[in-house]
Amino acid sequence: MLVNCKTDRALILVPLDGGNGLWMFPSDPGPWAGLHLQVQPLMPILPQIADMIRSRLGFALEPAGYQVCPDFEDIVMLESKIPATLYVVQSENLKPTGIIPADPSRPLRLATLPEWLGRLPQERQRLSWLRAWQIYQGILVQNIKAVEAVEALEALKALAQREQQP
């Protein structure tokens, strides 16, 4: 159960209906997908996420049928090695992107999550966004391990040697 955020910042992934069956994710400027939230310490995170979505996207979280996935929170490092917690918001009935209120002081960028994944820096922490994408695809598996190619080859060689032994 999500209660408090483990970092001073949070990134929130919120799917919206972009039309033609596309899920669009609004994001603040920068290389990382998601809406940025400066977390208020010692305050529960769910009301903070709900307030941010209401002010930035123009709808109330729960009445709109959205909820924060209780089984996913992942710490990632933003620019300058600033830690942030990644949260996933889900819904069965997505709101259209056209409801987002215009705010020139806080522009939003919209793209599909696979487009965001292609733009992310080629770092190991991309796995957090890949796990988030798995949640949106209905696969809730967090036991993914990234390994270097050399490590994978060594593990395969060791496995082959064990299978050859009587």
Side-chain angles (χ1 to χ4, degrees):
M1 179 173 176
L2 304 175
V3 178
N4 293 325
C5 185
K6 297 174 181 161
T7 59
D8 293 336
R9 288 191 177 180
L11 287 173
I12 319 301
L13 292 176
V14 182
L16 298 174
D17 184 358
N20 298 325
L22 293 177
W23 290 19
M24 304 299 283
F25 291 82
S27 294
D28 286 310
W32 307 107
L35 298 172
H36 294 244
L37 173 65
Q38 185 66 43
V39 176
Q40 297 173 3
L42 305 176
M43 299 293 294
I45 190 62
L46 295 179
Q48 293 183 61
I49 292 172
D51 289 344
M52 188 265 308
I53 289 174
R54 187 180 315 105
S55 67
R56 298 289 309 279
L57 302 180
F59 63 89
L61 189 69
E62 289 184 16
Y66 280 79
Q67 67 174 7
V68 178
C69 178
D71 299 318
F72 181 86
E73 62 180 329
D74 215 349
I75 296 176
V76 296
M77 292 295 178
L78 301 178
E79 59 278 346
S80 304
K81 301 299 180 196
I82 297 170
T85 304
L86 180 64
Y87 292 98
V88 170
V89 175
Q90 300 171 290
S91 178
E92 299 216 0
N93 296 318
L94 302 181
K95 292 287 190 182
T97 56
I99 68 159
I100 299 174
D103 184 357
S105 66
R106 294 186 79 182
L108 292 174
R109 300 175 302 155
L110 289 169
T112 66
L113 198 51
E115 289 171 333
W116 283 121
L117 289 169
R119 295 178 193 161
L120 290 175
Q122 300 290 323
E123 298 176 358
R124 186 177 219 145
Q125 67 180 348
R126 287 178 59 166
L127 286 175
S128 297
W129 278 269
L130 289 170
R131 285 193 296 267
W133 182 238
Q134 287 181 326
I135 289 171
Y136 288 120
Q137 296 303 305
I139 306 166
L140 184 57
V141 178
Q142 295 193 35
N143 293 333
I144 298 174
K145 182 180 177 188
V147 295
E148 298 295 328
V150 173
E151 293 174 20
L153 288 174
E154 289 174 5
L156 288 173
K157 286 179 186 176
L159 180 62
Q161 287 175 352
R162 279 193 302 239
E163 289 177 356
Q164 291 177 355
Q165 294 176 351

